[in-house]
Amino acid sequence: MHTKRETPIELSKEEFKKVGYQLIDNISEFLETIDKRPVTKGETPKHLQELLGTARLPENGTSAEELMASTTQLLLDHSLFNGHPKFLGYITSSAAPVGILADLLASSLNQNVGAQILSPIATEIEKQTVKWLAEFIGVSSEYSGILVSGGNMANFTGFLAGRTAKAPKNIKEEGMFGSDKLKIYCSKTTHTWVEKAAILFGLGSKSVRWIATTEKNKMDNKILEKTIEEDLIAGYKPIMIIGTAGDVSTGVVDHLDGIAELCKKHDLWFHVDGAYGVPAAVIPDLKPIFNGLQEADSIALDPHKWLYSPLEAGCTLVKNPQHLIDTFSSHPEYYNFGKDEVGSATNFYEYGLQNSRGFRALKVWLVLQQIGRSGYEKMIQQDIHLSELFYELANKNRELEAVTQNLSITTLRYIPLELDIPIEPLYLNTLNEALLDELQKGGEVFLSNAIVHDKYCLRACIVNFRTSEKDIEEIITIITREGKKMHHKLKNI
Ligand SMILES: *Cc1c(COP(=O)(O)O)cnc(C)c1O
């Protein structure tokens, strides 16, 4: 009888070490030289498809050593690097190196953090991580919750808990059929997840009341209140208000305390989308702009954004976690979970949408400890300072218009010197859009866009611990140089 099975999948200890050490060598070299590489090569999908070729599924295997070496090279040669100091697009951060190693460790153990009995210490680590995240953003220790894949899922989880809590009780059994009267409220700047949630979870996109914003891009709470009152008179059933803490385009935080008051007055669920911005509440000077956060029934935040965790890590915090259980728990006969000490086991499958779940908490837990609250406070503050510097430099530059600056997001646009006064607004939009495309393909810097009061802007979001003042100065030079080129190209000068 064989005592050890021979399989093509197993690696001997020696092989594992050889392939693994080589990988770690390559990754550490990559991290050391990331700033010397282009942010992206801007290659076309067609080019990349040609690179992979059209070979069919391999019949026989290849050695792990060979595969890992060639794949590392493939990825390093053809990826966009979020970790590059001049990557300031969207809201994707540089990944903490400890988080990279944490993912390796987590995969090695391959815990299924759906049930405590399957993931004894991992479940406790996730619980502690969630507690620490609540403490980090300064809400009370009552809050608990679950880690999910990202902001969309974190918002969905809170949204569903709110729907369970505030919609008529029979929707759990009868479904949404016939309850087309539910209404939810959020500002026009709210991220696309709201529409997706309304569609996916049966309320329909018309259930969303998109509330106009003030001059400063905050939800207009007066219009909000008026809309709710009108809806009540018309026989609708308002269930939830969503406040944004750091909107995705310009980083603005809604007047959360005003929203909290309205929620109390009308018995509505108060959800805060803090996917990007809420970690800034760790900075004492910024605490006041987050007033009201501590009243939220649910909060979404994204460790894979401003907490620099590698993708994927989002988190839903709920003031009374029983709402999650009420929404997501089920007890099939084939689960022998949580019988021993009643109430002591936490089975995360009962807190969210997923059943089998990975150990994403490990990277967040480790990075929180490696850096500590004060380390984060410093880094987040520096990101904000760099964003302010970007705005100031743009403001001083005759070819740039600084448009907005909130948290760590700056928006600006290129305005050619030779342009006739009064300036041509539509042309400026065309020019800046073309400029952004060119910059994104060029690989020197990666920015994204925002439309602010009908102006097409370049947008920089700094959630990047590698970005320095020098990078910001160089980016200003790149934008003006490429802006001028693009203007000349468009005007045939
Ligand atoms: C990024 C973001 C989301 C979506 O988060 P993902 O992690 O991309 O799913 C939702 N809301 C806001 C405010 C965001 O910034």
Side-chain angles (χ1 to χ4, degrees):
M1 252 200 318
H2 294 292
T3 52
K4 215 166 179 186
R5 207 173 128 189
E6 287 290 328
T7 62
I9 199 168
E10 190 65 277
L11 294 183
S12 69
K13 180 180 164 191
E14 278 62 41
E15 280 174 299
F16 192 92
K17 280 168 72 169
K18 192 165 173 218
V19 179
Y21 287 157
Q22 187 61 52
L23 177 64
I24 295 289
D25 282 348
N26 287 333
I27 294 172
S28 53
E29 179 63 23
F30 157 64
L31 292 177
E32 179 66 22
T33 57
I34 191 166
D35 58 327
K36 309 284 186 300
R37 298 162 184 265
V39 185
T40 174
K41 288 188 182 163
E43 294 164 312
T44 62
K46 186 159 176 285
H47 175 77
L48 298 170
Q49 286 151 17
E50 282 164 10
L51 206 68
L52 291 187
T54 52
R56 307 203 38 181
L57 173 70
E59 179 61 27
N60 299 309
T62 308
S63 92
E65 188 181 354
E66 231 175 280
L67 271 178
M68 199 55 101
S70 61
T71 304
T72 307
Q73 204 54 49
L74 179 74
L75 296 183
L76 292 182
D77 286 347
H78 304 283
S79 290
L80 172 145
F81 303 124
N82 309 332
H84 191 289
K86 287 194 178 70
F87 178 87
L88 309 180
Y90 304 103
I91 316 182
T92 309
S93 59
S94 281
V98 163
I100 301 170
L101 297 171
D103 268 346
L104 178 62
L105 178 58
S107 297
S108 311
L109 291 155
N110 199 30
Q111 300 288 283
N112 186 336
V113 197
Q116 181 131 23
I117 193 174
L118 301 176
S119 57
I121 191 67
T123 291
E124 293 304 325
I125 287 176
E126 178 158 346
K127 282 163 66 183
Q128 187 165 58
T129 306
V130 168
K131 284 281 167 208
W132 282 349
L133 290 174
E135 193 181 334
F136 190 106
I137 63 168
V139 295
S140 81
S141 57
E142 296 164 82
Y143 283 82
S144 184
I146 184 167
L147 293 190
V148 294
S149 57
N152 263 39
M153 292 305 290
N155 282 305
F156 289 171
T157 308
F159 183 96
L160 288 171
R163 191 188 72 173
T164 308
K166 299 296 181 185
K169 291 295 169 239
N170 64 3
I171 70 155
K172 264 188 113 166
E173 286 169 15
E174 308 288 334
M176 297 297 298
F177 191 70
S179 55
D180 55 351
K181 289 182 176 297
L182 305 185
K183 293 285 174 214
I184 56 181
Y185 304 81
C186 61
S187 106
K188 283 206 161 125
T189 68
T190 310
H191 188 274
T192 74
W193 73 265
V194 174
E195 194 175 22
K196 233 181 189 174
I199 293 169
L200 292 175
F201 305 135
L203 282 76
S205 57
K206 286 185 183 162
S207 68
V208 184
R209 294 287 195 218
W210 301 94
I211 304 297
T213 47
T214 62
E215 279 272 281
K216 297 211 160 120
N217 263 338
K218 290 176 191 256
M219 176 148 65
D220 188 324
N221 287 359
K222 286 209 183 81
I223 298 180
L224 171 65
E225 178 160 28
K226 195 161 153 272
T227 311
I228 293 171
E229 282 165 2
E230 286 168 1
D231 279 348
L232 284 168
I233 291 167
Y236 291 115
K237 169 125 185 69
I239 59 167
M240 174 182 328
I241 307 178
I242 294 148
T244 296
D247 95 88
V248 62
S249 285
T250 63
V252 164
V253 180
D254 284 336
H255 283 298
L256 302 178
D257 41 4
I259 300 174
E261 246 171 64
L262 279 177
C263 284
K264 270 200 196 115
K265 183 168 164 196
H266 294 288
D267 188 27
L268 307 177
W269 186 267
F270 178 23
H271 176 75
V272 172
D273 178 4
Y276 152 61
V278 85
V282 77
I283 295 170
D285 286 353
L286 293 182
K287 276 258 168 341
I289 68 166
F290 293 97
N291 270 349
L293 180 68
Q294 66 286 353
E295 303 293 328
D297 293 299
S298 54
I299 302 168
L301 73 142
D302 252 357
H304 71 205
K305 286 181 173 169
W306 221 348
L307 299 180
Y308 318 101
S309 162
L311 293 159
E312 300 167 345
C315 176
T316 309
L317 295 172
V318 177
K319 193 173 222 163
N320 175 0
Q322 185 59 37
H323 289 298
L324 292 179
I325 304 230
D326 291 347
T327 305
F328 297 107
S329 179
S330 66
H331 293 281
E333 62 188 13
Y334 45 82
Y335 280 173
N336 185 32
F337 299 150
K339 277 192 309 200
D340 42 2
E341 293 167 68
V342 177
S344 71
T346 299
N347 298 314
F348 273 113
Y349 86 90
E350 296 183 84
Y351 285 72
L353 288 147
Q354 274 186 291
N355 196 57
S356 293
R357 309 173 62 249
F359 190 11
R360 58 169 64 89
L362 186 64
K363 57 193 167 195
V364 183
W365 189 70
L366 282 174
V367 184
L368 283 169
Q369 291 178 82
Q370 184 213 358
I371 298 166
R373 198 200 48 77
S374 70
Y376 268 111
E377 188 182 319
K378 204 166 136 200
M379 290 196 301
I380 290 173
Q381 185 70 72
Q382 286 168 350
D383 285 346
I384 293 173
H385 282 325
L386 287 173
S387 172
E388 289 165 349
L389 173 70
F390 201 166
Y391 185 89
E392 277 164 36
L393 292 179
N395 210 14
K396 278 194 214 140
N397 192 304
R398 286 177 56 225
E399 285 174 275
L400 298 174
E401 178 190 5
V403 179
T404 64
Q405 198 289 315
N406 293 288
L407 298 183
S408 68
I409 299 179
T410 305
T411 62
L412 68 155
R413 59 180 187 162
Y414 178 75
I415 301 188
L417 288 176
E418 308 97 346
L419 209 61
D420 295 336
I421 304 288
I423 45 175
E424 312 154 48
L426 287 182
Y427 172 67
L428 285 182
N429 283 358
T430 309
L431 170 61
N432 279 279
E433 190 169 354
L435 171 59
L436 180 71
D437 288 344
E438 191 66 19
L439 291 173
Q440 286 192 341
K441 276 186 274 172
E444 279 185 283
V445 56
F446 199 97
L447 304 172
S448 54
N449 71 291
I451 312 285
V452 186
H453 301 306
D454 297 328
K455 292 177 184 174
Y456 189 101
C457 297
L458 308 178
R459 169 185 172 283
C461 176
I462 306 178
V463 284
N464 191 337
F465 56 84
R466 294 201 178 94
T467 308
S468 67
E469 289 187 5
K470 182 160 167 283
D471 289 307
I472 300 297
E473 284 168 13
E474 288 171 359
I475 291 170
I476 291 275
T477 308
I478 296 167
I479 295 174
T480 48
R481 186 192 72 214
E482 293 303 316
K484 190 173 285 160
K485 265 199 226 160
M486 184 52 72
H487 172 56
H488 287 183
K489 190 171 156 198
L490 294 179
K491 291 279 184 188
N492 283 318
I493 301 172

